[in-house]
Amino acid sequence: MDAFEFLSSPVTWAITVVSCLYILYKYVTSQFNYFVDQGIPGPKPVPFFGNMWGLWKKNTAEYDVSLVKKYGKIFGYFDGPNPNLWITDLEMIKAIFVKDFDHFVDRRAFKFKSNIVRKWLTVLEGQEWKDVRSSVTPAFTTGKIKKMSLLINDCVHKLCDSIAAQTEGKINAKLIFNAFTMDVIARCAFGLKIDNLGDKDDPFIQNAQIIFNPPSVKTPLILLPFTYPKLFSLFGESLFVSKELKFFFQLLQNMLQERSQSKEKYHDFIEVADEAISAFTKDVGGKKVAMWSREEIEEIVMGQSTLFMLAGFDTTATTLTSTCFELARNPDIQDKLYDSIITKLEDHDDICHEFIQDMPYLEQVILEVLRFYPAAVRTERQCTKDISYDNGRINIKAGVIITVPIYALHHMEEYYPNPEKFDPERWTPENKAKRSPYSFMAFGVGPRNCVGMRFAMEEMKMAVCTLVKKFRFFTVKETPEKLQFDDGFQSVLQPIHAILGIESR
């Protein structure tokens, strides 16, 4: 048999295919003993998909709760072939997110090559993340937020006018708050005032909704960046950096070009972020010089502005929807909140930044909503340097992902007795002091927590105060007994069927 006959033989091809499949199988299962060898429990993985097969058909929040109940506070999981340590143990959370943060600086590594996206705080790593985070933080000081609160207040009044115009006496809360939070982002992050925001054909809402709840979350395609991130970087990035996302990129580019020729002050995020990032310096030969060029500054500003939209649109709309749902379901809580607002108005002309600074019951209600319905279902870190815990019993090597299932954590009986009861009294100063701060992670914890937390709280407090002052929420026949969320591999809870009755006070 000559060489050509040998190479073209069906037997040769069969052996080659089988050998390649075997090598691939060994590669994708090579780490499947990682947790077993350490005595760490967890679901049994399957080749190629680990424990992720079928997630696009599940309800993510309910799935996470079931895993924690079955396997405990610390267990192993596999994102495809990659080990992922899940934790709801508070001492471990404290160690990984705060005490040993230098070993867990990065989030899951999604390598983006596209301009703007590659500068998002959520994907930056190491020293570059530290530099950009430090430069952006001054944009969220109390003073800067106070200036942006004037823009938020305008949006709140516009929201109230829109609700007052409803003639049926009921609203689809998620749709109403989608329009409101996008209005806030248009004003505060993009510097735009859009009169028809929320209309059926409005491009802002249309493009944003596709970004936040794309069809891929209910298909196996959503698993690619989690199971095989290198393949995602090579072939999948174009699916994420979609035409809908590019719509907002173009909007920002046009905005920055117009502003470069204007001296007008806007007091919005673009302006304050540009000022803060431009002021960030480095030492070169003993002299302080700008850290970045003008072109780099514009890319960082655009990156954080679009991230502002991504982080603030759906999460805030979901939280406001959940808040109004619980107020409708618990009229005694709604009445108590209303009374506290009316009492506070004796010392103020109207609801404003100063008004909401000392509203303890309002804060209790919002914190309980964020406990019961944390908008972000999970949070993650990636180990950058090997480290051990529990006297060497738990070894975490560089590259391993750490996941905290926030929704499951917030619904654990050990940390929150009777967790399925909505109870703002959990957040009185006395009750809060009895509980570890690491049992609440709606905004994350540690140095890499949510940089926009103060802004989000400002927006939600102003909206809830004004709405409860002007309207009463109540249940109607379409209102479900329990707030329901869409299935699919969702990173943010997606309320469905949130129909509420509403009337003017």
Side-chain angles (χ1 to χ4, degrees):
M1 180 183 291
D2 60 25
F4 178 77
E5 288 179 332
F6 175 78
L7 292 175
S8 61
S9 167
V11 174
T12 301
W13 277 103
I15 293 173
T16 302
V17 170
V18 170
S19 298
C20 289
L21 288 174
Y22 178 74
I23 292 169
L24 182 61
Y25 171 83
K26 293 297 288 184
Y27 169 75
V28 299
T29 61
S30 61
Q31 297 199 79
F32 279 2
N33 286 329
Y34 181 79
F35 295 115
V36 172
D37 291 345
Q38 299 184 61
I40 298 173
K44 185 177 179 180
V46 299
F48 301 104
F49 297 99
N51 300 115
M52 301 192 79
W53 182 254
L55 282 188
W56 63 91
K57 297 183 288 186
K58 299 180 185 293
N59 182 289
T60 306
E62 294 175 0
Y63 173 73
D64 289 1
V65 169
S66 68
L67 286 177
V68 172
K69 285 182 177 179
K70 185 172 183 178
Y71 297 107
K73 294 181 184 178
I74 301 173
F75 62 88
Y77 191 89
F78 286 89
D79 302 339
N82 312 306
N84 183 337
L85 184 68
W86 284 42
I87 58 172
T88 53
D89 178 84
L90 303 188
E91 287 303 312
M92 281 285 288
I93 291 173
K94 178 181 179 180
I96 287 169
F97 284 75
V98 180
K99 179 174 168 286
D100 299 318
F101 177 73
D102 62 315
H103 286 71
F104 301 94
V105 175
D106 298 339
R107 293 179 183 266
R108 184 189 293 267
F110 291 129
K111 301 289 186 183
F112 288 103
K113 300 173 185 175
S114 301
N115 289 353
I116 304 173
V117 179
R118 65 186 180 183
K119 296 299 181 184
W120 284 352
L121 268 177
T122 49
V123 301
L124 291 178
E125 299 177 341
Q127 189 60 45
E128 186 178 17
W129 167 78
K130 292 179 182 177
D131 290 339
V132 174
R133 169 81 183 216
S134 297
S135 72
V136 171
T137 298
F140 290 102
T141 61
T142 301
K144 296 292 194 300
I145 289 174
K146 182 178 178 180
K147 291 180 179 178
M148 285 191 277
S149 72
L150 298 174
L151 304 177
I152 295 173
N153 214 2
D154 285 345
C155 298
V156 171
H157 288 297
K158 185 174 168 184
L159 167 67
C160 291
D161 290 342
S162 174
I163 291 176
Q166 299 283 330
T167 57
E168 296 181 1
K170 57 188 175 184
I171 59 170
N172 184 322
K174 186 59 163 56
L175 292 182
I176 286 285
F177 291 125
N178 274 351
F180 165 68
T181 54
M182 185 51 76
D183 193 16
V184 171
I185 288 165
R187 296 290 302 278
C188 295
F190 291 83
L192 296 172
K193 187 174 182 179
I194 305 174
D195 293 330
N196 66 336
L197 194 58
D199 287 357
K200 189 170 106 176
D201 299 324
D202 172 53
F204 257 77
I205 296 294
Q206 282 187 336
N207 285 292
Q209 285 180 329
I210 293 173
I211 292 170
F212 291 109
N213 195 13
S216 62
V217 300
K218 295 185 178 183
T219 72
L221 190 62
I222 191 63
L223 303 184
L224 181 60
F226 298 89
T227 52
Y228 297 95
K230 291 182 180 179
L231 283 178
F232 172 74
S233 297
L234 290 172
F235 306 111
E237 185 173 333
S238 60
L239 297 173
F240 182 83
V241 186
S242 59
K243 70 179 190 302
E244 289 82 15
L245 192 56
K246 290 176 181 177
F247 166 84
F248 292 101
F249 292 166
Q250 188 61 54
L251 198 69
L252 272 171
Q253 286 176 327
N254 295 341
M255 181 66 58
L256 288 171
Q257 188 173 5
E258 288 176 14
R259 289 194 178 189
S260 67
Q261 302 168 4
S262 171
K263 294 183 179 180
E264 184 179 349
K265 287 287 185 181
Y266 296 88
H267 303 300
D268 58 16
F269 180 76
I270 291 177
E271 183 175 273
V272 297
D274 194 300
E275 291 172 355
I277 294 166
S278 298
F280 201 70
T281 60
K282 61 182 176 181
D283 286 318
V284 176
K287 294 183 180 180
K288 296 280 188 183
V289 299
M291 174 66 79
W292 298 288
S293 67
R294 185 65 225 168
E295 186 179 53
E296 289 172 322
I297 290 169
E298 288 193 0
E299 184 179 7
I300 294 170
V301 169
M302 289 176 65
Q304 306 332 305
S305 296
T306 50
L307 183 60
F308 190 132
M309 178 196 73
L310 288 169
F313 167 64
D314 221 27
T315 54
T316 305
T318 290
T319 303
L320 289 172
T321 299
S322 305
T323 301
C324 293
F325 177 86
E326 287 299 334
L327 293 178
R329 277 272 164 217
N330 298 276
D332 55 329
I333 294 174
Q334 184 174 183
D335 290 344
K336 184 174 179 178
L337 179 57
Y338 174 75
D339 290 342
S340 70
I341 294 168
I342 296 304
T343 300
K344 187 77 173 180
L345 280 169
E346 294 175 2
D347 302 320
H348 292 267
D349 293 332
D350 203 356
I351 294 165
C352 58
H353 172 78
E354 290 75 17
F355 181 96
I356 63 174
Q357 297 313 302
D358 184 29
M359 287 287 292
Y361 193 67
L362 170 66
E363 178 133 338
Q364 287 175 220
V365 170
I366 291 178
L367 288 177
E368 179 65 353
V369 170
L370 290 168
R371 196 265 323 164
F372 206 94
Y373 305 105
V377 181
R378 303 171 180 171
T379 189
E380 298 174 333
R381 294 293 183 270
Q382 183 166 356
C383 183
T384 55
K385 295 182 286 185
D386 294 0
I387 193 169
S388 297
Y389 292 104
D390 195 12
N391 296 319
R393 187 181 74 84
I394 299 175
N395 297 291
I396 305 174
K397 65 181 182 180
V400 170
I401 300 295
I402 308 296
T403 292
V404 176
I406 300 174
Y407 185 94
L409 176 75
H410 287 189
H411 286 259
M412 290 178 68
E413 180 84 30
E414 179 178 343
Y415 307 140
Y416 298 97
N418 197 6
E420 300 308 314
K421 179 184 178 183
F422 183 82
D423 183 11
E425 296 305 311
R426 298 180 200 274
W427 301 97
T428 62
E430 300 77 24
N431 288 332
K432 192 175 176 182
K434 297 174 186 175
R435 194 168 50 243
S436 167
Y438 301 102
S439 63
F440 180 77
M441 295 190 68
F443 294 105
V445 292
R448 200 154 184 165
N449 67 349
C450 175
V451 70
M453 175 175 62
R454 288 181 181 174
F455 181 90
M457 289 298 287
E458 181 93 5
E459 180 183 358
M460 290 188 290
K461 286 180 176 180
M462 290 188 73
V464 171
C465 263
T466 307
L467 286 169
V468 173
K469 173 197 167 190
K470 291 177 175 288
F471 304 102
R472 186 178 73 86
F473 296 95
F474 55 92
T475 60
V476 292
K477 66 178 182 179
E478 296 95 333
T479 308
E481 287 289 327
K482 182 179 179 181
L483 191 55
Q484 301 166 31
F485 298 94
D486 202 5
D487 294 337
F489 189 38
Q490 309 277 2
S491 59
V492 175
L493 291 177
Q494 298 291 335
I496 54 177
H497 312 310
I499 308 299
L500 304 174
I502 191 166
E503 63 184 10
S504 297
R505 290 190 185 269

